[in-house]
């Protein structure tokens, strides 16, 4: 059901448009109200007054060069943030090149600001405006140079502007260092406001943050987990979601005391929307005669924005987070972000399998580059955010990462030049966050599967089954897990009539002579409703699972026992199935392992 139309109770008629079509979310903000005039009589001998007048004049004049679109900007309201209303569905907007007239106006403004800054080298407002407008022009190197020549401005502000510029240059490690300096030099109240991302968290996350705010150590630990989970790709050095958070605060500070294209005063609502969704990537204007005679200004956010912030329930126990918990393409996001190096970052539903080996565990993860099925790929217009740009010629890469939750160093295995395959890594048993990733820099696209897991040491002489790994069948059966990895299916999926193989390990054997009984079964798990009713009423016969069993002697010595089995099941129809493995031994409890897989029509 469509929500009712909303007009601000304050009479400002301000609207925020947030648009979403799974799996990506795009966003725009729109203001429609009588323009608050720039005019104030300013002493022309006042250098900063001249600069402020010029900045306001630029914002007022450049509106005429925004693309003019037809149609109404009003609509049903899904969410209200202060003076702003939001709803989902922006349509086919994408970033368009700025008109040269607007570029010339900005250049005139920058020349003036530069000259006045020479007279007022310690003026933080001037410094911020220069960095901001250079960033708008994508002149990030110059922005960094300006930030680093900050004269006698407040040290924390100089560091924040440097961090903002470094983030824009995708130098995330250095940006994090600069923002850390800025936070250290702020007063405590402001530092806490910047550090604690209340606006971007769900209710559980807000409550978790509130509980630890009074304890510096507990807050540090929680924020460490939060930003670790929010980092889009561990393949990319640094944590750009974290530095984008501080970059957004820096932009909010720059724009708070300056005029903006919306022609309204900056307030907490614009603070919140900037922190949650970032700053505008493009602008439009439209005249909505049915709503007001004033021309609207629409500010658009990135068309590939996704929500990388983790749910609150994952903060306290990250090792229990499921892949669904850590998906970025949620339908109603609290925040939006698009990594510059891979704006299209998609769920990668590969295989993950754990192979316990005593006090250690081998983790296997498959990876592949997901097909781009996002909205704009099917549209007949340029897709500038996927232009290879500076990443042209960079090799594809993939990796598996294990983040220990006891503070130890991240473990990883990576490969260059491939986007499809399987990687493994052996670590001590414990609690981890796992991330399997693949990234094509030239396509600016990536895939990710992220989840938590816990692995406990397996005592000696206790039989333990590993997870099941699905493989392509081979005429030469591998004798070790490592030899089987090149045959791993990229995901637990086959086509009708296709054969496959499974592999597993057993640990805890070899301490005595014994006989092993293996049972393998395959059964369908998503039978149709009519068939289930027919089976219940005994009108139709229930589908019997396919079973296979055999006995073999246990290994003569302790160590992992690797097993491989080809399965030829040509009659499986499209649907979901479970392959189930049971190990029976005398004097021990049964050990069970299972994997769900799907069969797709050819």
């Amino acid at each position: 059901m469509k929500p009712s139309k909303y007009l601000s109770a304050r009479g400002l008629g301000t609207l925020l448009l947030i648009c979403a079509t799974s799996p990506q979310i795009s966003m725009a903000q729109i203001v429609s109200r009588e323009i608050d005039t720039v005019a104030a009589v300013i002493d022309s001998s006042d250098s900063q007054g001249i600069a402020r007048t010029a900045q306001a004049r630029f914002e007022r004049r450049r509106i005429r060069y925004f693309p003019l679109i037809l149609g109404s900007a009003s609509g049903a309201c899904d969410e209200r943030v202060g003076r702003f209303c939001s709803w989902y569905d922006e349509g086919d907007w994408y970033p368009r090149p700025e008109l040269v007239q607007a570029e010339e106006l900005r250049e005139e403004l920058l020349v003036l600001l530069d000259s006045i800054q020479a007279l007022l080298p310690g003026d933080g407002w001037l410094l911020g405006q220069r960095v901001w407008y250079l960033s708008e022009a994508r002149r990030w190197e110059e922005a960094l140079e300006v930030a680093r020549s900050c004269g006698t401005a407040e040290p924390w502000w100089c560091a924040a502007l440097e961090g903002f510029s470094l983030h824009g240059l995708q130098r995330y490690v250095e940006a994090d260092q600069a923002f850390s300096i800025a936070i250290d030099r702020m007063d405590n109240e402001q530092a806490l406001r910047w550090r604690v991302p209340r606006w971007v968290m769900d209710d559980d996350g807000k409550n978790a943050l509130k509980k630890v705010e009074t304890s510096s150590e507990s807050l540090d630990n929680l924020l460490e987990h939060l930003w670790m989970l929010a980092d889009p790709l561990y393949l990319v050095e640094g944590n750009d979601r974290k530095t984008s958070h501080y970059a957004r605060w820096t932009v909010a500070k720059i724009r708070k005391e300056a005029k903006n294209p919306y022609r309204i005063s900056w307030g907490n609502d614009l603070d919140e929307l900037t922190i949650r969704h970032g700053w505008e990537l493009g602008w439009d204007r439209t005249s909505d005669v049915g709503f007001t005679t004033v021309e609207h200004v629409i500010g658009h956010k990135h068309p590939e924005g996704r929500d990388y912030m983790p749910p609150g329930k994952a903060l306290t126990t990250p090792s229990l987070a499921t892949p669904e918990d850590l998906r970025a393409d949620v339908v109603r996001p609290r925040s939006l972000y698009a990594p510059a190096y891979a704006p299209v970052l998609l769920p990668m539903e590969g295989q993950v399998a754990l192979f316990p080996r005593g006090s250690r565990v081998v983790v296997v993860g498959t990876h592949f580059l997901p097909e781009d099925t996002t909205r704009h790929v099917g549209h007949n217009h340029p897709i500038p955010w996927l232009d290879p740009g500076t990443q042209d010629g960079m090799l594809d890469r993939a990796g598996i990462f294990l983040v220990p939750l006891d503070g130890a160093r991240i473990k990883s295995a990576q490969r260059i030049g491939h986007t499809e395959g399987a990687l493994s890594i052996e670590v001590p048993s414990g609690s981890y966050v796992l991330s399997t990733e693949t990234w094509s820099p030239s396509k600016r696209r990536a895939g990710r599967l992220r989840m938590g897991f816990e692995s406990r040491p397996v005592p000696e002489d206790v039989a333990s089954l590993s997870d099941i790994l699905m493989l392509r069948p081979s005429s030469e059966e591998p004798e070790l897990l490592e030899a089987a990895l090149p045959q791993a299916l990229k995901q637990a999926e086959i086509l009708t009539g296709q054969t496959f193989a499974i592999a597993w390990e057993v640990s805890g054997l070899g301490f005595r002579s014994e006989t092993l009984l293996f049972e393998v079964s395959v059964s369908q798990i998503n039978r149709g409703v009519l068939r289930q009713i027919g089976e219940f009423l005994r009108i139709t016969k229930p589908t019997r699972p396919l079973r296979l069993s055999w006995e073999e002697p246990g290994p003569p010595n302790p160590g992992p026992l690797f097993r491989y089995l080809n399965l030829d099941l040509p009659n499986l129809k499209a649907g979901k199935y479970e392959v189930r493995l049971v190990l029976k031994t005398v004097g021990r409890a049964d050990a069970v392992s299972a994997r769900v897989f799907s069969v797709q029509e050819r």
Side-chain angles (χ1 to χ4, degrees):
M1 183 177 66
K2 216 175 183 181
S4 59
K5 184 175 179 180
Y6 163 77
L7 294 179
S8 169
R10 302 180 187 180
L12 294 179
T14 303
L15 301 176
L16 165 66
L17 178 67
I18 301 180
C19 317
T21 58
S22 183
Q24 80 273 18
I25 304 292
S26 57
M27 171 189 175
Q29 296 175 181
I30 175 169
V31 173
S32 52
R33 53 150 291 177
E34 294 297 331
I35 303 172
D36 57 341
T37 59
V38 171
V41 177
I42 301 174
D43 182 359
S44 61
S45 65
D46 177 5
S47 296
Q48 192 191 71
I50 295 172
R52 288 180 179 270
T53 300
Q55 187 272 331
R57 183 172 60 249
F58 164 76
E59 291 293 358
R60 185 175 66 252
R61 292 174 64 191
R62 72 161 164 171
I63 292 173
R64 73 186 70 169
Y65 302 116
F66 293 163
L68 179 63
I69 61 175
L70 302 176
S72 171
S74 59
C77 180
D78 291 336
E79 179 186 7
R80 177 176 172 176
V81 179
R83 297 165 292 177
F84 289 78
C85 175
S86 66
W87 64 95
Y88 295 86
D89 192 7
E90 187 184 1
D92 191 26
W93 181 85
Y94 64 95
R96 294 165 175 84
E98 187 177 45
L99 292 182
V100 65
Q101 294 94 328
E103 294 177 350
E104 291 172 350
L105 288 177
R106 185 186 296 105
E107 183 59 28
E108 291 175 9
L109 174 63
L110 281 167
V111 170
L112 177 64
L113 295 178
D114 290 350
S115 62
I116 295 177
Q117 184 87 75
L119 301 174
L120 304 171
D123 190 298
W125 183 87
L126 278 168
L127 189 70
Q129 300 309 309
R130 293 170 68 207
V131 169
W132 169 245
Y133 286 117
L134 285 168
S135 77
E136 269 201 344
R138 312 304 296 168
R139 292 156 61 181
W140 287 105
E141 290 285 0
E142 294 176 65
L144 179 60
E145 185 178 347
V146 169
R148 286 177 169 171
S149 59
C150 66
T152 57
E154 291 185 86
W156 80 264
W157 185 229
C158 298
L161 291 172
E162 182 176 346
F164 168 67
S165 303
L166 288 165
H167 174 81
L169 288 166
Q170 299 183 50
R171 292 158 60 176
Y172 304 122
V173 174
E174 296 172 77
D176 196 4
Q177 294 168 348
F179 283 127
S180 293
I181 293 171
I183 295 295
D184 288 342
R185 293 176 177 176
M186 289 178 188
D187 65 72
N188 291 337
E189 183 178 350
Q190 183 182 12
L192 188 64
R193 190 173 187 222
W194 280 43
R195 290 184 68 213
V196 180
R198 297 180 186 86
W199 281 326
V200 301
M201 301 303 295
D202 61 16
D203 289 341
D204 289 339
K206 291 175 185 176
N207 291 334
L209 289 166
K210 188 175 182 180
K211 288 179 182 178
V212 299
E213 274 189 18
T214 57
S215 169
S216 178
E217 183 178 355
S218 298
L219 178 60
D220 289 346
N221 290 336
L222 193 66
L223 289 176
E224 183 178 357
H225 283 165
L226 186 153
W227 292 121
M228 176 268 292
L229 293 170
D231 190 355
L233 284 183
Y234 299 147
L235 276 169
V236 177
E237 191 176 13
N239 188 332
D240 51 295
R241 183 60 186 91
K242 178 183 178 183
T243 57
S244 77
H245 174 73
Y246 291 124
R248 292 172 178 190
W249 270 117
T250 306
V251 169
K253 168 68 175 173
I254 291 172
R255 299 177 72 183
K256 184 180 290 290
E257 299 175 4
K259 294 299 179 180
N260 60 70
Y262 296 124
R263 298 167 290 184
I264 64 172
S265 59
W266 196 270
N268 284 336
D269 45 12
L270 281 170
D271 268 346
E272 178 177 342
L273 292 169
T274 301
I275 304 310
R276 285 175 59 183
H277 306 304
W279 53 89
E280 294 78 10
L281 198 64
W283 302 91
D284 283 333
R285 59 193 172 98
T286 181
S287 181
D288 183 358
V289 178
F291 184 50
T292 174
T293 58
V294 178
E295 192 174 59
H296 305 313
V297 172
I298 306 172
H300 298 274
K301 305 302 174 72
H302 201 293
E304 296 292 345
R306 292 168 174 76
D307 193 351
Y308 291 92
M309 303 303 290
K313 65 181 181 180
L315 290 183
T316 51
T317 53
S319 62
L320 301 182
T322 67
E324 195 65 27
D325 291 334
L326 301 182
R327 287 175 68 106
D329 59 333
V330 296
V331 174
R332 303 193 52 106
R334 283 290 305 168
S335 69
L336 297 173
Y337 174 66
Y341 49 83
V344 177
L345 202 163
L346 303 170
M348 183 179 69
E349 298 177 355
Q351 295 189 80
V352 173
L354 305 185
F355 292 79
R357 294 179 178 177
S359 62
R360 302 180 67 81
V361 60
V362 175
V363 183
V364 173
T366 63
H367 53 266
F368 59 95
L369 190 65
E371 181 184 358
D372 186 357
T373 57
T374 54
R375 177 175 59 191
H376 288 279
V377 75
H379 290 167
N380 184 25
H381 63 64
I383 309 181
W385 59 91
L386 297 185
D387 184 340
T390 57
Q391 295 181 176
D392 190 24
M394 289 179 61
L395 295 175
D396 295 341
R397 58 205 64 195
I400 181 170
F401 299 84
L402 293 177
V403 184
L405 298 181
D406 59 3
R409 291 185 60 185
I410 295 178
K411 310 294 184 182
S412 68
Q414 301 184 43
R415 62 189 308 188
I416 303 295
H418 301 275
T419 57
E420 186 170 320
L423 288 167
S424 68
I425 186 168
E426 184 174 343
V427 292
S429 300
S431 298
Y432 294 88
V433 168
L434 161 72
S435 193
T436 61
E437 305 174 354
T438 187
W439 173 37
S440 177
S442 62
K443 294 180 180 178
R444 292 193 183 268
R445 191 192 328 155
R448 186 188 83 178
L449 185 155
R450 187 168 293 176
M451 58 183 284
F453 77 89
E454 294 182 351
S455 174
R456 297 186 179 183
V458 178
E460 291 186 354
D461 203 22
V462 173
S464 177
L465 270 179
S466 73
D467 292 332
I468 295 171
L469 184 66
M470 293 182 64
L471 312 165
R472 294 186 297 274
S474 174
S475 57
E476 296 185 9
E477 296 188 3
E479 297 182 358
L480 296 172
L481 173 62
E482 292 70 21
L485 294 185
Q487 298 298 116
L489 296 177
K490 66 180 184 181
Q491 54 192 139
E493 179 181 293
I494 63 171
L495 300 177
T496 52
Q498 182 179 355
T499 61
F500 66 98
I502 59 174
W504 68 93
E505 278 187 354
V506 187
S507 59
L509 303 177
F511 293 93
R512 63 176 184 265
S513 177
E514 55 189 328
T515 299
L516 312 180
L517 173 63
F518 288 105
E519 293 181 352
V520 175
S521 61
V522 176
S523 56
Q524 191 170 9
I525 59 175
N526 68 332
R527 294 165 297 149
V529 174
L530 291 178
R531 183 170 184 85
Q532 292 182 52
I533 294 173
E535 290 177 3
F536 177 77
L537 297 176
R538 299 184 179 181
I539 299 173
T540 59
K541 294 182 178 180
T543 302
R544 298 180 63 182
L546 304 169
R547 295 185 182 277
L548 174 68
S549 64
W550 70 94
E551 287 187 350
E552 62 178 83
N557 300 305
L561 175 69
F562 176 79
R563 284 293 177 260
Y564 171 96
L565 179 65
N566 278 315
L567 292 175
D568 186 2
L569 305 172
N571 296 324
L572 293 184
K573 297 179 180 179
K576 281 199 172 296
Y577 294 82
E578 180 186 69
V579 55
R580 183 178 177 86
L581 172 67
V582 180
L583 169 63
K584 297 177 179 289
T585 53
V586 176
R588 305 176 190 263
D590 292 351
V592 180
S593 186
R595 174 163 306 270
V596 174
F597 68 99
S598 62
V599 178
Q600 304 290 339
E601 291 285 359
R602 286 186 178 273

